[in-house]
Coordinates of all heavy atoms in Angstrom, one line a residue:
W59 N -19.9 -7.3 3.3 CA -20.9 -8.2 3.3 C -22.3 -7.5 3.0 O -23.1 -8.2 2.4 CB -21.0 -9.0 4.6 CG -19.9 -10.2 4.6 CD1 -18.8 -10.1 5.2 CD2 -20.0 -11.3 3.9 NE1 -18.1 -11.3 4.9 CE2 -18.8 -12.1 4.1 CE3 -20.9 -11.9 2.9 CZ2 -18.6 -13.3 3.5 CZ3 -20.7 -13.1 2.4 CH2 -19.5 -13.8 2.6
S60 N -22.5 -6.3 3.5 CA -23.7 -5.6 3.3 C -23.9 -5.3 1.8 O -25.0 -5.4 1.2 CB -23.7 -4.3 4.1 OG -23.8 -4.6 5.4
L61 N -22.7 -5.0 1.1 CA -22.8 -4.7 -0.4 C -23.2 -6.0 -1.0 O -24.0 -6.0 -2.0 CB -21.4 -4.3 -0.8 CG -21.4 -4.0 -2.3 CD1 -20.4 -2.8 -2.6 CD2 -21.0 -5.1 -3.2
L62 N -22.6 -7.2 -0.6 CA -22.9 -8.5 -1.3 C -24.4 -8.7 -1.1 O -25.1 -9.2 -2.1 CB -22.1 -9.6 -0.7 CG -20.6 -9.6 -1.1 CD1 -19.9 -10.7 -0.4 CD2 -20.4 -9.6 -2.5
R63 N -24.9 -8.5 0.1 CA -26.4 -8.8 0.3 C -27.2 -7.8 -0.6 O -28.2 -8.2 -1.1 CB -26.7 -8.6 1.7 CG -26.4 -9.8 2.6 CD -27.0 -9.8 4.0 NE -26.7 -8.5 4.7 CZ -25.7 -8.3 5.4 NH1 -24.6 -9.2 5.5 NH2 -25.5 -7.2 6.0
A64 N -26.8 -6.6 -0.7 CA -27.6 -5.6 -1.4 C -27.6 -6.0 -3.0 O -28.5 -5.7 -3.7 CB -27.0 -4.2 -1.3
A65 N -26.5 -6.6 -3.4 CA -26.3 -7.2 -4.8 C -27.2 -8.5 -5.0 O -27.3 -9.0 -6.1 CB -24.9 -7.4 -5.1
G66 N -27.6 -9.1 -3.8 CA -28.4 -10.3 -3.9 C -27.7 -11.5 -3.7 O -28.1 -12.6 -4.1
I67 N -26.4 -11.4 -3.1 CA -25.5 -12.6 -3.0 C -25.5 -12.8 -1.5 O -25.0 -12.0 -0.7 CB -24.2 -12.3 -3.5 CG1 -24.2 -11.9 -5.0 CG2 -23.2 -13.4 -3.2 CD1 -22.9 -11.4 -5.6
S68 N -25.8 -14.1 -1.1 CA -25.7 -14.5 0.3 C -24.5 -15.4 0.5 O -24.0 -16.0 -0.3 CB -27.0 -15.3 0.7 OG -27.0 -16.6 0.0
Q69 N -24.2 -15.4 1.8 CA -23.0 -16.2 2.2 C -23.3 -17.7 1.9 O -22.5 -18.5 1.4 CB -22.7 -16.1 3.7 CG -21.4 -16.6 4.1 CD -21.1 -16.1 5.6 OE1 -22.0 -15.6 6.3 NE2 -19.9 -16.2 5.9
A70 N -24.6 -18.2 2.2 CA -25.0 -19.6 2.0 C -24.9 -19.8 0.4 O -24.5 -21.0 0.1 CB -26.4 -19.6 2.5
E71 N -25.3 -18.8 -0.4 CA -25.2 -19.1 -1.8 C -23.7 -19.3 -2.3 O -23.4 -20.2 -3.1 CB -25.9 -18.0 -2.6 CG -25.9 -18.2 -4.2 CD -26.6 -17.0 -4.8 OE1 -26.8 -16.0 -4.2 OE2 -26.9 -17.1 -6.0
L72 N -22.8 -18.5 -1.8 CA -21.4 -18.6 -2.1 C -20.9 -20.1 -1.6 O -20.2 -20.7 -2.5 CB -20.6 -17.5 -1.4 CG -20.8 -16.1 -2.0 CD1 -20.1 -15.1 -1.0 CD2 -20.2 -16.0 -3.3
I73 N -21.2 -20.4 -0.5 CA -20.8 -21.7 0.1 C -21.4 -22.8 -0.8 O -20.7 -23.8 -1.1 CB -21.2 -21.8 1.6 CG1 -20.3 -20.9 2.4 CG2 -20.9 -23.3 2.0 CD1 -20.7 -20.7 3.8
G74 N -22.7 -22.6 -1.1 CA -23.3 -23.6 -2.0 C -22.6 -23.8 -3.4 O -22.6 -24.9 -4.0
R75 N -22.0 -22.7 -3.9 CA -21.3 -22.7 -5.1 C -19.9 -23.2 -4.9 O -18.9 -23.4 -5.8 CB -21.2 -21.3 -5.7 CG -22.4 -20.8 -6.4 CD -22.8 -21.4 -7.7 NE -21.8 -21.2 -8.8 CZ -21.9 -20.2 -9.8 NH1 -23.0 -19.5 -9.9 NH2 -21.0 -20.0 -10.6
G76 N -19.4 -23.4 -3.6 CA -18.1 -23.9 -3.3 C -17.0 -22.9 -3.4 O -15.9 -23.2 -3.6
V77 N -17.4 -21.6 -3.2 CA -16.5 -20.5 -3.2 C -16.7 -19.6 -2.0 O -17.8 -19.6 -1.3 CB -16.6 -19.7 -4.5 CG1 -16.3 -20.5 -5.7 CG2 -18.0 -19.1 -4.6
G78 N -15.7 -18.7 -1.7 CA -15.8 -17.7 -0.7 C -14.8 -16.7 -0.9 O -13.7 -16.9 -1.4

Side-chain angles (χ1 to χ4, degrees):
W59 279 106
S60 294
L61 182 147
L62 290 177
R63 279 193 309 278
I67 301 171
S68 70
Q69 197 170 15
E71 185 176 14
L72 290 168
I73 292 169
R75 287 280 299 257
V77 297

